[in-house]
Amino acid sequence: QVQLVESGGGLVQAGGSLRLSCAASGRLFSTNVMGWYRQAPGKQRELVAIITSGGSTTYADSVKGRFLISRDNYKNTVYLQMNSLKPEDKAVYYCNVRRPGVGDGYNYWGQGTQVTVSS
């Protein structure tokens, strides 16, 4: 069992910034992939950014150049620095952790944190 606790969501004006944090605990392994997903009303949950334990990153095209994902392996924490926020970024953001090659047997989600962007 893995627990993921997100923080940092809130209300921000367009063009502003927020920094999300996700602290993981429980049944953790040194090799994993952590990431952020988001779900807006009426839309499917989508990948925002992921980062491997080695530091390799992948971003959705919609956030590339504006968002930065990072992690602290010692603290088992992943961050999402969101800059130049747009109203389209409004969504519930979810933290996720997976293990390569394990499949859905190791796939955990946080409770989500609301990000609201006003114009």
Side-chain angles (χ1 to χ4, degrees), residues 86-102:
K86 304 175 180 179
E88 305 93 273
D89 296 318
K90 179 182 178 181
V92 177
Y93 284 70
Y94 297 90
C95 182
N96 173 263
V97 61
R98 303 172 188 261
R99 290 191 69 205
V102 174

Side-chain angles (χ1 to χ4, degrees), residues 1-3 24 26 41-44 52 64 72 80 86-87 89 91-92 103 106 112:
Q1 184 66 40
V2 174
Q3 297 78 44
K43 294 185 177 181
Q44 300 245 66
T52 70
K64 193 172 185 179
D72 186 330
L80 185 68
K86 304 175 180 179
D89 296 318
V92 177
Y106 195 95

Side-chain angles (χ1 to χ4, degrees), residues 5-94:
V5 180
E6 298 126 321
S7 62
L11 174 65
V12 66
Q13 291 183 326
S17 298
L18 285 174
R19 186 179 186 238
L20 306 183
S21 298
C22 173
S25 62
R27 188 169 170 266
L28 301 174
F29 298 87
S30 60
T31 301
N32 60 55
V33 179
M34 301 186 75
W36 293 93
Y37 296 72
R38 67 186 181 186
Q39 187 166 21
K43 294 185 177 181
Q44 300 245 66
R45 188 174 298 186
E46 64 177 357
L47 182 147
V48 177
I50 57 173
I51 183 168
T52 70
S53 53
S56 298
T57 60
T58 300
Y59 294 91
D61 289 341
S62 59
V63 306
K64 193 172 185 179
R66 299 188 297 121
F67 292 9
L68 293 171
I69 190 170
S70 62
R71 64 186 289 165
D72 186 330
N73 291 335
Y74 185 79
K75 296 180 179 179
N76 295 315
T77 301
V78 64
Y79 306 92
L80 185 68
Q81 178 66 47
M82 304 185 293
N83 300 317
S84 301
L85 282 162
K86 304 175 180 179
E88 305 93 273
D89 296 318
K90 179 182 178 181
V92 177
Y93 284 70
Y94 297 90

